Amino acid sequence: MDPRYKALLPFLSEERSTRFEHVLESRTRHVCLVLENVYQSRNASAVMRTCDGVGIQDVHLIEDANPWVFNRQVSKGTPSWLTLHRYLQDPNPTASCIQQLRSSGYEIAVTSPHVNGKEVHELPIDRPIALVMGTEFEGVSDTFLEAADHHVYIPMAGFAESLNISVAAGIIMHDLSRRTHELPDSTWSLTEAEKAELRAHWAMKTVRKSEVILKQLKICPNTGNPLAEQ
């Protein structure tokens, strides 16, 4: 058990700690989401809420043109339960994000009405997949289009050419999550180490003044390692 979680467990209700275990059993890193310069923060926050709801843990944010601003009313606090990867200090956030995805073994699927695009149910999920969604107006950048292994689209039957980004993300992520959970558990589920790290992170988000409590107990809030005696 992570020392941080063990230390904070007495401050958690049984209902909350049970909820942690229930959510962890459905969490996956086999699918992740990339939001590239989404213009309206409330759209990005709504997409994050969907990620939490379907069990996707990781969201990568590219913000060099449009910064994301936390919107509690829309997100209902769900960013606290997700792992957000932000590239605020990188001179080229898009390139850094692509490099991180590649090094983590992800194939890249961009949302675009590409001539060789796949409908969402056709998108292969035998390997980890990163879904990339761009701005509401222009879509994903040329850099991501060039890096893409797959192009995915939602067929439209009406006069509108596209859906709101949060609606489109919900449709695609729900399908990817459903099919991912049909794979063997060893393919998509979190490792025990990942679960332990998230338990500690979530406990720190739940317990008031958790960092103060941990430091009083000589536990480093960032790592769980013992703090050196002063």
Side-chain angles (χ1 to χ4, degrees), residues 127-139:
R127 293 183 59 188
I129 192 87
L131 175 68
V132 185
M133 308 197 76
T135 73
E136 295 89 332
F137 308 110
E138 299 176 356

Side-chain angles (χ1 to χ4, degrees), residues 110-118 139 145 151-154 161-162:
V110 301
T111 52
S112 68
H114 193 270
V115 64
N116 294 319
K118 298 179 176 68
L145 284 173
H151 295 80
V152 61
Y153 71 96
I154 298 172
E161 295 182 355
S162 63

Side-chain angles (χ1 to χ4, degrees), residues 76-143:
K76 303 300 182 184
T78 49
S80 297
W81 314 119
L82 302 175
T83 303
L84 303 184
H85 305 264
R86 306 179 76 177
Y87 302 84
L88 300 175
Q89 307 303 319
D90 286 284
N92 191 333
T94 299
S96 297
C97 179
I98 292 172
Q99 182 179 10
Q100 181 167 334
L101 293 173
R102 293 297 191 203
S103 64
S104 299
Y106 285 98
E107 290 191 342
I108 295 173
V110 301
T111 52
S112 68
H114 193 270
V115 64
N116 294 319
K118 298 179 176 68
E119 293 188 37
V120 60
H121 67 272
E122 300 173 326
L123 195 64
I125 57 168
D126 54 313
R127 293 183 59 188
I129 192 87
L131 175 68
V132 185
M133 308 197 76
T135 73
E136 295 89 332
F137 308 110
E138 299 176 356
V140 300
S141 65
D142 289 341
T143 303

Side-chain angles (χ1 to χ4, degrees), residues 6-229:
K6 184 177 181 180
L8 296 175
L9 188 56
F11 300 92
L12 294 172
S13 68
E14 182 178 351
E15 179 182 7
R16 175 62 74 174
S17 59
T18 300
R19 184 66 177 170
F20 284 176
E21 299 310 310
H22 174 75
V23 173
L24 285 170
E25 290 307 308
S26 296
R27 275 296 202 255
T28 187
R29 287 193 153 119
H30 192 75
V31 179
C32 72
L33 182 74
V34 181
L35 295 175
E36 186 185 31
N37 285 314
V38 173
Y39 179 69
Q40 295 185 333
S41 288
R42 67 172 179 266
N43 281 338
S45 295
V47 174
M48 292 182 199
R49 185 176 176 183
T50 300
C51 284
D52 176 69
V54 300
I56 293 172
Q57 181 62 35
D58 294 278
V59 177
H60 297 255
L61 295 169
I62 309 297
E63 307 168 75
D64 51 338
N66 300 317
W68 172 66
V69 179
F70 178 71
N71 188 321
R72 178 173 293 276
Q73 183 176 2
V74 175
S75 68
K76 303 300 182 184
T78 49
S80 297
W81 314 119
L82 302 175
T83 303
L84 303 184
H85 305 264
R86 306 179 76 177
Y87 302 84
L88 300 175
Q89 307 303 319
D90 286 284
N92 191 333
T94 299
S96 297
C97 179
I98 292 172
Q99 182 179 10
Q100 181 167 334
L101 293 173
R102 293 297 191 203
S103 64
S104 299
Y106 285 98
E107 290 191 342
I108 295 173
V110 301
T111 52
S112 68
H114 193 270
V115 64
N116 294 319
K118 298 179 176 68
E119 293 188 37
V120 60
H121 67 272
E122 300 173 326
L123 195 64
I125 57 168
D126 54 313
R127 293 183 59 188
I129 192 87
L131 175 68
V132 185
M133 308 197 76
T135 73
E136 295 89 332
F137 308 110
E138 299 176 356
V140 300
S141 65
D142 289 341
T143 303
F144 259 118
L145 284 173
E146 293 170 3
D149 301 293
H150 309 281
H151 295 80
V152 61
Y153 71 96
I154 298 172
M156 304 293 292
F159 292 103
E161 295 182 355
S162 63
L163 297 169
N164 174 276
I165 182 174
S166 63
V167 174
I171 292 171
I172 297 173
M173 288 191 293
H174 183 272
D175 182 88
L176 292 178
S177 176
R178 176 186 60 79
R179 291 195 288 132
T180 292
H181 284 73
E182 291 174 354
L183 298 171
D185 287 355
S186 58
T187 300
W188 64 265
S189 59
L190 300 177
T191 66
E192 290 305 316
E194 289 172 327
K195 290 178 182 179
E197 180 64 29
L198 286 175
R199 281 191 197 96
H201 175 77
W202 293 346
M204 291 175 64
K205 290 291 184 179
T206 301
V207 177
R208 294 184 60 190
K209 298 184 178 180
S210 57
E211 291 198 10
V212 174
I213 295 171
L214 292 175
K215 288 178 180 178
Q216 288 178 340
L217 296 172
K218 306 301 182 184
I219 299 171
C220 176
N222 295 326
T223 65
N225 295 329
L227 285 172
E229 295 290 342

